[in-house]
Amino acid sequence: MSAPVIKVRDLRREYAMGAETIRALRGVDLDIMVNEYVAIMGPSGSGKSTLMNTIGCLDTPTSGEYWLNSQEVSTLGDDELARVRNREIGFVFQTFNLLPRATALHNVELPLIYSGEKKSERKRRAEEALELVGLGDRMDHRPNELSGGQRQRVAVARALINKPSIILADEPTGNLDSRTSEDIIGLFAELHDKGQTIIVVTHEPDIAAHAHREITLKDGTVFSDSLRQAA
Amino acid sequence: MPVFEAVRLALQVIWNQKMKSAFSVVGVFIGVTFLIAVVTIVEGMNNYMEDTFAGALLGVNTFGVRYRPSVNVGDTPREVWRSWRRRPRITFEDAEAVAAGLSVPVITAVESESNASVDYEGTTANNVRIIGASDSYFALKGWNIQEGRPFTEQEASFGTPVAVIGSELAEVLFGNSDPLGRTVRIRNFPYRVVGVVEKQGNVFGFSLDNFAVAPALSPVKRFVNPPRIVDALLVKAETDLLMRAAMAEAEAIMRRRRQLRPATDNNFELETSDGVLDFWSKISGVLLAAIPGLVSISLVVGGIVIMNIMLMSVSERTREIGIRKSLGARQRDIMRQFLVESATLSTVGAGLGIATGLGMAKLVAELSFLPASVAGWSIGAAVVLGMGVGITAGILPARKASRLDPVEAISQE
Ligand SMILES: Nc1ncnc2c1ncn2[C@@H]1O[C@H](COP(=O)(O)OP(=O)(O)OP(=O)(O)O)[C@@H](O)[C@H]1O
Ligand SMILES: [Mg+2]
């Protein structure tokens, strides 16, 4: 079997809050293989977002080791981390995090701007990605001219645009009704079928049910980690 | 991202926040407007003084041998005035001796003038400059004869009562009809009009076209000067250098004629346009010296305003910055985005200032006798200053933006 996409050992993240120290992650060990579809669950405050941000190179762990595609992330400088976020990670957030004044097309183009693609190439690929998520007819719409589900699809298109090693989705359906949630989850299933590695944080068992592996966090540690028989 | 695209995006942001942008560039705008307006007027004055004023009144590469200066700038003490009055006047003989004695190739002409009225069949033009001169006077002045001809050497030596008149005088006396061959009366003496000089415009509101030139020996000699006296011998050379050489010769000739001892000062004047231009350059120097101070104050204030607005903008757009970072923007990408934005903002302000400054200068020129002339360097300086202020003012905000923690930034409301 090939090396894991993500390999985490004894990962800790602590926040100093005055005299108190908050331990958001207290030693997490994790291996995620290519084309796995993982759901992370757990009570509020158990460290799910902290783990996602760390895996996504947005946050730096207090201690522990993290390899992304066999590269030790803690050795990377600022610019290299930006490169990893740009090329290896596709983030999907609960609150979409689109630029409000920019069109769907421009929002999807953003990662390509930072990877230095030419304008024509950017446009072509962004259009392609929007077609893929079924928004070919909404390219020039701004976020406030789109429904919640459409916004999240723009965000998914943006996450996919640089063909990342992994998609990290932190409660991607948290702001959506159950029908639109199904749409987004359907989209993830499609991507997974095409070979994409995906981690989804969710509170909803229905959503988690689509994943092939379910990890539960509790108090900043892995409480359970189980494979689910594909339905 | 290529710079022009970054600028285009910056312009979009600026346009989206018109009010805030307008407010933030007020300082730069005022500074640049002031810079451009003052420089344009001063530059206009420079050209005016050099070309029109000094050129038209005193002549390019021309000096006059006079008994005292004709143009006085600045303060002249009483005793100097008194000594000028005691000087002997310049005579026809002086003029002839100098003209004959110069070895440098030059054009020379005598000139005497006085104001008088000119009549033509019941129409009277008042306060006309009546000039008694040599036939070479027109060539020396570089005047174009628009109709007719200058008077001839013969007419000059006979003192024939003929006149070459300015275009304004022609207009006043004859309207649209042809002045050539008509007889005008100056101090009750008839003169035949033989030529009209092309329009020359005015200096500080004084017309340059309200004159009549007649041979120095014609009857004008009775009132323009005492007998045998001229106002000046004018000498024009091809170049400044030749003019200086001719001046040295003229000085030597005059000193010899007047038998001045080496220790004695000249009791005559060799007048060039230098004096006027020196005086003007002092005034313009003062005006231009005030610019850096006033402009830099408004630019510094403008820079501080831009900096604060950009800092505000960074806090307002913290989330945007977080999003960009999560998508792979490096520190330098964010830094650049905000620097380009503040530089563009301030350059736009400078651009508006340039337009307004030029507009103001043009308006002043329209409404007053002050001339306006655009100095290329001032526009270059305004653009560079605008951009410089923007970049300088943008450094701190851009740095702050680029160093935001992505997780914190993205979780802002
Ligand atoms: N910037 C921070 N400063 C201090 N404490 C923090 C910070 N971010 C997170 N925490 C704390 O770390 C712990 C884990 O937070 P985290 O956001 O990872 O939880 P979560 O599992 O994502 O919860 P939720 O399901 O509510 O999103 C919480 O106790 C939280 O209060
Ligand atoms: Mg969370």
Side-chain angles (χ1 to χ4, degrees):
Chain A
M1 214 179 168
S2 62
V5 182
I6 283 165
K7 179 177 162 190
V8 161
R9 289 294 176 270
D10 196 24
L11 199 70
R12 292 167 191 273
R13 179 66 166 104
E14 295 171 359
Y15 296 102
M17 298 289 282
E20 212 181 344
T21 303
I22 293 172
R23 296 189 167 80
L25 297 177
R26 313 180 177 211
V28 172
D29 297 313
L30 203 59
D31 287 281
I32 290 175
M33 312 306 286
V34 172
N35 200 23
E36 271 198 289
Y37 187 173
V38 181
I40 298 184
M41 300 192 64
S44 182
S46 56
K48 304 181 297 292
S49 295
T50 306
L51 180 60
M52 292 291 263
N53 289 339
T54 309
I55 292 174
C57 296
L58 285 176
D59 201 357
T60 321
T62 310
S63 69
E65 290 158 357
Y66 168 25
W67 287 267
L68 177 65
N69 292 322
S70 308
Q71 164 130 63
E72 168 110 59
V73 169
S74 60
T75 63
L76 299 180
D78 263 352
D79 284 0
E80 290 161 311
L81 286 174
R83 205 193 106 87
V84 169
R85 289 196 288 266
N86 185 248
R87 311 271 176 141
E88 308 295 340
I89 311 285
F91 249 113
V92 178
F93 302 90
Q94 179 176 0
T95 53
F96 319 131
N97 280 340
L98 301 176
L99 298 189
R101 287 187 187 276
T103 60
L105 191 71
H106 185 72
N107 267 294
V108 176
E109 272 184 313
L110 279 172
L112 296 178
I113 288 179
Y114 296 119
S115 54
E117 294 299 337
K118 274 203 298 244
K119 198 173 176 178
S120 52
E121 173 72 0
R122 261 160 37 198
K123 188 156 185 285
R124 191 185 64 72
R125 278 170 60 183
E127 283 171 356
E128 199 179 278
L130 280 167
E131 300 278 2
L132 185 80
V133 299
L135 287 176
D137 55 347
R138 294 285 190 282
M139 305 214 192
D140 294 327
H141 288 234
R142 284 167 214 282
N144 62 1
E145 298 159 352
L146 294 169
S147 73
Q150 288 170 332
R151 286 180 212 185
Q152 197 58 300
R153 279 195 268 169
V154 173
V156 173
R158 183 179 66 185
L160 288 173
I161 192 90
N162 254 337
K163 303 192 170 59
S165 307
I166 188 157
I167 295 262
L168 301 175
D170 192 349
E171 301 190 43
T173 60
N175 281 7
L176 303 176
D177 61 37
S178 52
R179 261 206 51 200
T180 12
S181 297
E182 284 299 324
D183 282 357
I184 295 296
I185 291 310
L187 194 55
F188 281 172
E190 260 177 61
L191 295 173
H192 175 245
D193 288 345
K194 289 181 192 163
Q196 183 70 57
T197 313
I198 300 173
I199 307 180
V200 176
V201 169
T202 183
H203 284 291
E204 297 160 65
D206 301 3
I207 305 288
H210 289 80
H212 301 102
R213 179 176 167 194
E214 188 176 309
I215 297 171
T216 312
L217 292 189
K218 204 175 165 190
D219 294 332
T221 53
V222 175
F223 177 71
S224 71
D225 184 346
S226 58
L227 290 178
R228 186 193 304 275
Q229 276 326 101
Chain B
M1 178 162 31
V3 173
F4 77 89
E5 202 184 335
V7 170
R8 194 178 55 79
L9 288 176
L11 283 171
Q12 218 165 49
V13 171
I14 291 165
W15 184 249
N16 285 336
Q17 319 185 331
K18 289 174 219 53
M19 278 302 287
K20 205 204 277 175
S21 305
F23 175 69
S24 58
V25 299
V26 162
V28 173
F29 172 79
I30 291 177
V32 167
T33 302
F34 177 79
L35 170 75
I36 295 291
V38 171
V39 170
T40 303
I41 293 288
V42 169
E43 179 76 4
M45 285 290 287
N46 272 341
N47 291 346
Y48 203 67
M49 293 308 280
E50 273 158 30
D51 302 346
T52 316
F53 189 71
L57 257 47
L58 298 165
V60 181
N61 297 331
T62 302
F63 69 93
V65 184
R66 301 174 174 272
Y67 85 106
R68 63 176 170 82
S70 66
V71 179
N72 287 291
V73 286
D75 289 330
T76 306
R78 280 166 66 99
E79 50 281 23
V80 175
W81 270 110
R82 220 172 287 139
S83 76
W84 282 348
R85 263 204 298 275
R86 281 198 302 269
R87 287 177 172 183
R89 302 286 305 258
I90 306 293
T91 64
F92 272 105
E93 287 74 26
D94 289 333
E96 268 160 26
V98 172
L102 291 177
S103 67
V104 179
V106 291
I107 307 176
T108 60
V110 295
E111 175 192 61
S112 293
E113 69 166 89
S114 181
N115 281 6
S117 49
V118 182
D119 298 285
Y120 174 70
E121 292 184 351
T123 312
T124 302
N126 286 313
N127 255 330
V128 181
R129 283 175 71 204
I130 308 297
I131 303 163
S134 325
D135 54 291
S136 50
Y137 188 70
F138 306 96
L140 184 141
K141 286 285 187 185
W143 288 350
N144 290 323
I145 308 293
Q146 143 195 313
E147 283 174 78
R149 57 172 178 83
F151 51 77
T152 62
E153 197 180 338
Q154 235 179 4
E155 287 165 331
S157 51
F158 286 132
T160 316
V162 290
V164 174
I165 62 177
S167 60
E168 186 180 314
L169 180 61
E171 168 82 30
V172 169
L173 293 181
F174 304 103
N176 288 327
S177 55
D178 185 7
L180 296 184
R182 314 277 177 135
T183 300
V184 296
R185 300 186 79 84
I186 303 172
R187 291 267 176 126
N188 269 328
F189 227 93
Y191 297 78
R192 191 161 52 87
V193 176
V194 296
V196 178
V197 176
E198 193 177 74
K199 183 176 163 68
Q200 299 178 66
N202 60 71
V203 172
F204 300 126
F206 295 104
S207 170
L208 293 173
D209 300 300
N210 188 27
F211 64 86
V213 190
L217 297 177
S218 73
V220 296
K221 69 183 176 192
R222 298 181 189 178
F223 66 91
V224 291
N225 260 325
R228 306 305 304 155
I229 299 296
V230 295
D231 282 352
L233 171 74
L234 300 181
V235 180
K236 180 187 169 76
E238 278 298 315
T239 65
D240 185 68
L241 210 66
L242 288 175
M243 179 188 82
R244 306 282 158 196
M247 279 173 80
E249 289 183 348
E251 185 178 6
I253 294 167
M254 283 301 288
R255 289 184 67 88
R256 214 176 311 124
R257 281 180 67 77
R258 297 196 167 170
Q259 295 171 342
L260 300 179
R261 284 173 215 285
T264 318
D265 287 339
N266 289 345
N267 57 1
F268 55 90
E269 206 64 38
L270 296 174
E271 186 184 52
T272 64
S273 52
D274 292 357
V276 182
L277 293 182
D278 284 352
F279 182 67
W280 163 245
S281 72
K282 260 182 226 146
I283 298 180
S284 66
V286 171
L287 287 174
L288 291 177
I291 291 180
L294 289 168
V295 170
S296 52
I297 288 172
S298 56
L299 289 185
V300 166
V301 172
I304 292 172
V305 172
I306 291 179
M307 185 173 84
N308 281 288
I309 302 242
M310 289 302 293
L311 282 171
M312 241 164 74
S313 169
V314 167
S315 348
E316 278 168 13
R317 287 155 69 190
T318 297
R319 193 185 171 92
E320 173 193 328
I321 295 159
I323 293 172
R324 288 179 184 277
K325 286 200 151 185
S326 78
L327 299 176
R330 295 163 299 180
Q331 289 201 0
R332 77 177 84 129
D333 293 317
I334 301 293
M335 182 103 188
R336 190 163 110 137
Q337 180 188 345
F338 281 89
L339 277 184
V340 167
E341 212 169 293
S342 86
T344 307
L345 184 66
S346 145
T347 309
V348 166
L352 294 175
I354 291 172
T356 310
L358 290 179
M360 273 170 60
K362 284 276 181 305
L363 194 72
V364 168
E366 287 292 319
L367 299 180
S368 73
F369 61 81
L370 285 174
S373 172
V374 181
W377 69 263
S378 67
I379 296 193
V383 171
V384 169
L385 283 175
M387 214 181 282
V389 166
I391 290 173
T392 313
I395 288 175
L396 200 70
R399 225 230 267 291
K400 188 182 157 196
S402 73
R403 293 190 177 172
L404 286 175
D405 176 70
V407 177
E408 271 175 45
I410 213 163
S411 52
Q412 286 252 314
E413 38 56 76

